[in-house]
């Protein structure tokens, strides 16, 4: 339970602190060949002038609602699987990486609908019709309302549109992160032990 709470809290702080950058990334990706923003500076200026400061946090509710269970699920699944996978004879100590992949797939799949809703909310606003060739629908306000509208128009499968690509990106990243984390932690503990002995 401690791992779940710590992971969830860390996720909320990190998501909130970096959310404007996430919004910019999503909007840059959605603009396609028809450029709405010429640079990061022009995008910041445009969003501030047309949407105000709240424009940088459009969809934050979905982001926080997604990251709490994601980080909690990820770390609790990882800590549960790591000892089990460690018993397997995997090369290069890659049990940590395998546990990271399984934890990532579990957590990403579990919260993917909120991730999709967050991205759809992020591209709302005055420039909405100019994103993705004008194909972005206008949604109502709020995470639940947007979710209901997606299900109404696209069915339940609409909430998982793009999941495969998301897993292809997240799984290897988590494998590398957790493998590196465990190696770094082991080295740091070794340094700490050596310092105590001297």
């Amino acid at each position: 339970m401690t791992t779940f709470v710590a992971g969830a809290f860390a996720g909320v702080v990190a998501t909130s602190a970096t959310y404007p950058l996430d919004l910019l990334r999503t909007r840059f990706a959605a603009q396609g060949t028809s450029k709405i923003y010429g640079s990061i500076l022009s995008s910041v200026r445009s969003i501030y002038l047309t949407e105000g400061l709240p424009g940088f946090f459009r969809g934050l509710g979905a982001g926080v609602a997604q990251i709490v269970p994601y980080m909690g699920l990820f770390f609790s699944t990882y800590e549960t699987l790591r000892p089990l996978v460690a018993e397997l004879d995997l090369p290069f100590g890659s049990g940590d990486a395998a546990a990271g992949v399984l934890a990532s797939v579990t957590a990403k799949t579990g919260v993917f609908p909120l991730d999709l809703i967050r991205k759809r909310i992020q591209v709302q606003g005055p420039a909405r019709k100019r994103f993705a060739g004008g194909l972005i629908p206008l949604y109502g306000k709020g995470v639940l309302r947007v979710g209901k509208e997606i299900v109404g128009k696209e069915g339940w499968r609409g909430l998982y549109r793009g999941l495969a690509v998301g897993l292809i990106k997240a799984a290897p990243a988590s494998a590398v992160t957790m493998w590196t984390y465990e190696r770094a932690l082991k080295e740091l503990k070794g340094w700490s032990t050596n310092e105590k002995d001297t």
Side-chain angles (χ1 to χ4, degrees):
M1 183 63 165
T2 303
T3 304
F4 183 94
V5 172
F9 181 73
V12 168
V13 171
T15 297
S16 300
T18 62
Y19 195 79
L21 298 172
D22 185 58
L23 180 121
L24 291 175
R25 178 184 57 109
T26 300
R27 289 196 177 183
F28 272 98
Q31 68 183 352
T33 56
S34 171
K35 301 293 181 209
I36 298 166
Y37 307 119
S39 67
I40 292 176
L41 187 58
S42 71
S43 66
V44 169
R45 189 179 313 116
S46 176
I47 293 168
Y48 183 75
L49 292 174
T50 59
E51 302 174 54
L53 200 55
F56 293 101
F57 296 92
R58 190 180 293 272
L60 178 62
V64 169
Q66 170 223 334
I67 203 66
V68 169
Y70 176 84
M71 295 301 282
L73 276 170
F74 179 85
F75 282 106
S76 59
T77 302
Y78 176 76
E79 290 298 331
T80 301
L81 294 176
R82 189 170 57 95
L84 301 172
V85 178
E87 294 176 10
L88 303 174
D89 188 25
L90 298 173
F92 309 111
S94 58
D96 301 323
V101 166
L102 294 170
S104 178
V105 167
T106 301
K108 185 78 169 172
T109 302
V111 302
F112 192 79
L114 288 168
D115 190 40
L116 179 114
I117 290 168
R118 173 184 58 83
K119 288 177 182 169
R120 301 252 181 124
I121 292 173
Q122 284 180 329
V123 293
Q124 296 294 299
R128 175 188 58 82
K129 291 182 179 179
R130 297 170 56 201
F131 289 118
L135 299 175
I136 307 244
L138 177 64
Y139 293 109
K141 292 198 182 273
V143 174
L144 293 176
R145 182 177 200 125
V146 172
K148 284 176 71 174
E149 289 179 29
I150 291 169
V151 170
K153 293 175 186 170
E154 304 173 38
W156 287 100
R157 292 182 75 178
L159 292 173
Y160 288 91
R161 184 159 291 164
L163 174 63
V165 172
L167 293 177
I168 288 169
K169 175 186 173 249
S174 294
V176 171
T177 299
M178 298 319 291
W179 185 88
T180 306
Y181 167 79
E182 292 296 344
R183 300 292 136 335
L185 186 62
K186 184 177 178 182
E187 286 299 317
L188 290 171
K189 284 181 178 178
W191 290 349
S192 175
T193 303
N194 290 340
E195 285 180 7
K196 287 179 185 175
D197 291 342
T198 58

